[in-house]
Amino acid sequence: MLEIIVLPLLTMVTCKEMRAAIIVLHKNGFTGKDIVATKIAPKSTIYRFIKNFKERGSILVKKASGRPRKSSKRQDRLLKRIQLRDRSATSAELAQEWQQAGVSASARTVRRRLLEDGLVSRRAAKKPLLSKKNIRDRLIFCRKYSEWTAEDWGKVIFSDEAPFRLFGASGKRLVRRRKGERYHQSCVMPTVKHPDTIHVWGCFSSKGVGSLTILPKNTAMNKEWYQNTLQQQLLPTTQQQFGEEQCIFQHDGAPCHKAKVITKWLGDQNVEILGPWPGNSPDLNPIENLWSILKRRVDKQKPTNSDKLQEVIMKEWVAISQDLAQKLIESMPSRIAEVLKKKGQHCKY
């Protein structure tokens, strides 16, 4: 009788199925000695399965506890407080400080504990330092325009100056390479001691990019040059994009922008000014995102001299689509709302 039951069970046996078969036989009244006689498994295994079943009432294997943790929950909370006190502390430094509190753990263990709390190592974001005045001015500006819709912001022309450098010096570049290819020509970003830098002024609105002009080499940004730029670049752009419709001009608080002669000239031209613009607030100006996009596109072209760099800048500028420009402008209500939510601090843009 026992052989009739066991033979089908032995045809395709896994460890889990073997354990189940032994317990089935046990439940049907067969003794451990009878089951051992079937040679379905070693004697010690059979008796261990039966014993565990009697103790737990289940054939499931109890999960092993694993290696004991080196730290308690209280010590883990201490590590978290140490890290939050100094965000830039390395895992090795944290391990040393943790050791002083009685926990002997490696830097790897420290990283695992912090990861459990959602604290991961990331490159610090670079943002301008905000003074109390900057924060106050940001809040005043955002409250003033908190009710504006994307349609309202569509009537604004944003402007700014930006530097462009040769050989991709405008940012870090990631490459994918195989072992031994670190210094392969296609995986290296060339640098020079004193890269040529080109300064440009540009403007854009929801209707697309406007004029872009390059500041002559060795020419300082001053009120004379700025007035000339507004005359030759801004006015044609406003006429082309808005015609007779009233638009609003945005520029930051750079000294040459706030010069009396510039303020008077803008008034004489009936140009309405957005603001006053808060200092150290590139996250509120969507043209900063446009510069980042433009710089990445220019870097991909890998210009090798100043003339080629200027040519590529102008080419990539006019290639920027209206859809992209409009998307950036439409982000303004979100920027305003986020700065207000964070009480004047930086937003993600």
Side-chain angles (χ1 to χ4, degrees), residues 162-198:
F164 286 78
R165 299 181 181 87
L166 277 176
F167 303 116
S170 55
K172 293 186 177 181
R173 179 186 300 165
L174 300 179
V175 297
R176 297 189 184 275
R177 62 175 187 245
R178 292 180 286 264
K179 187 177 180 180
E181 291 186 334
R182 182 177 185 183
Y183 300 108
H184 190 276
Q185 185 176 359
S186 62
C187 300
V188 172
M189 186 171 73
T191 62
V192 294
K193 287 185 177 181
H194 305 289
D196 284 346
T197 302
I198 292 176

Side-chain angles (χ1 to χ4, degrees), residues 182-227:
R182 182 177 185 183
Y183 300 108
H184 190 276
Q185 185 176 359
S186 62
C187 300
V188 172
M189 186 171 73
T191 62
V192 294
K193 287 185 177 181
H194 305 289
D196 284 346
T197 302
I198 292 176
H199 293 270
V200 305
W201 178 94
C203 62
F204 88 112
S205 72
S206 62
K207 300 181 183 298
V209 295
S211 295
L212 183 84
T213 185
I214 296 174
L215 181 66
K217 198 170 183 180
N218 299 323
T219 300
M221 175 74 73
N222 53 40
K223 57 188 178 183
E224 289 78 16
W225 181 87
Y226 188 57
Q227 181 176 339

Side-chain angles (χ1 to χ4, degrees), residues 304-321:
T304 55
N305 56 58
S306 294
D307 292 339
K308 185 64 177 177
L309 177 59
Q310 293 184 35
E311 179 184 333
V312 172
I313 291 171
M314 299 302 292
K315 176 183 174 183
E316 293 297 335
W317 175 259
V318 298
I320 294 173
S321 67

Side-chain angles (χ1 to χ4, degrees), residues 104-340:
S104 179
S106 66
R108 185 178 180 183
T109 299
V110 167
R111 289 193 292 271
R112 286 201 303 270
R113 294 293 185 274
L114 294 174
L115 186 60
E116 290 171 3
D117 274 315
L119 289 168
V120 294
S121 179
R122 292 288 185 268
R123 186 181 302 163
K126 293 183 178 180
K127 292 285 189 177
L129 178 65
L130 292 176
S131 65
K132 290 183 179 180
K133 183 181 183 304
N134 293 147
I135 294 174
R136 184 174 64 253
D137 291 346
R138 285 163 63 86
L139 288 172
I140 292 172
F141 177 86
C142 290
R143 287 166 184 157
K144 180 178 179 180
Y145 295 102
S146 61
E147 301 297 325
W148 273 31
T149 64
E151 184 178 353
D152 294 322
W153 289 107
K155 301 174 183 178
V156 179
I157 293 183
F158 289 87
S159 70
D160 194 22
E161 297 85 25
F164 286 78
R165 299 181 181 87
L166 277 176
F167 303 116
S170 55
K172 293 186 177 181
R173 179 186 300 165
L174 300 179
V175 297
R176 297 189 184 275
R177 62 175 187 245
R178 292 180 286 264
K179 187 177 180 180
E181 291 186 334
R182 182 177 185 183
Y183 300 108
H184 190 276
Q185 185 176 359
S186 62
C187 300
V188 172
M189 186 171 73
T191 62
V192 294
K193 287 185 177 181
H194 305 289
D196 284 346
T197 302
I198 292 176
H199 293 270
V200 305
W201 178 94
C203 62
F204 88 112
S205 72
S206 62
K207 300 181 183 298
V209 295
S211 295
L212 183 84
T213 185
I214 296 174
L215 181 66
K217 198 170 183 180
N218 299 323
T219 300
M221 175 74 73
N222 53 40
K223 57 188 178 183
E224 289 78 16
W225 181 87
Y226 188 57
Q227 181 176 339
N228 183 62
T229 298
L230 296 178
Q231 178 75 49
Q232 298 186 11
Q233 310 296 332
L234 175 64
L235 294 184
T237 296
T238 57
Q239 182 62 36
Q240 179 185 357
Q241 294 190 352
F242 294 92
E244 299 302 319
E245 182 184 356
Q246 181 66 35
C247 63
I248 303 171
F249 176 59
Q250 179 278 336
H251 62 175
D252 60 29
C256 63
H257 297 176
K258 297 190 298 182
K260 292 181 180 179
V261 63
I262 298 299
T263 302
K264 183 178 183 304
W265 184 88
L266 289 170
D268 293 342
Q269 302 299 320
N270 295 319
V271 176
E272 184 178 350
I273 306 298
L274 182 77
W277 188 260
N280 286 346
S281 299
D283 53 346
L284 284 173
N285 193 345
I287 201 171
E288 296 291 347
N289 303 95
L290 198 62
W291 290 139
S292 296
I293 294 169
L294 182 61
K295 286 178 179 180
R296 287 197 297 271
R297 293 184 180 183
V298 169
D299 287 349
K300 284 184 178 180
Q301 300 295 323
K302 299 180 180 179
T304 55
N305 56 58
S306 294
D307 292 339
K308 185 64 177 177
L309 177 59
Q310 293 184 35
E311 179 184 333
V312 172
I313 291 171
M314 299 302 292
K315 176 183 174 183
E316 293 297 335
W317 175 259
V318 298
I320 294 173
S321 67
Q322 181 187 353
D323 288 342
L324 175 58
Q326 186 170 353
K327 183 179 178 180
L328 291 174
I329 296 296
E330 289 175 349
S331 69
M332 282 304 298
S334 298
R335 295 172 193 253
I336 297 291
E338 187 171 348
V339 171
L340 288 174

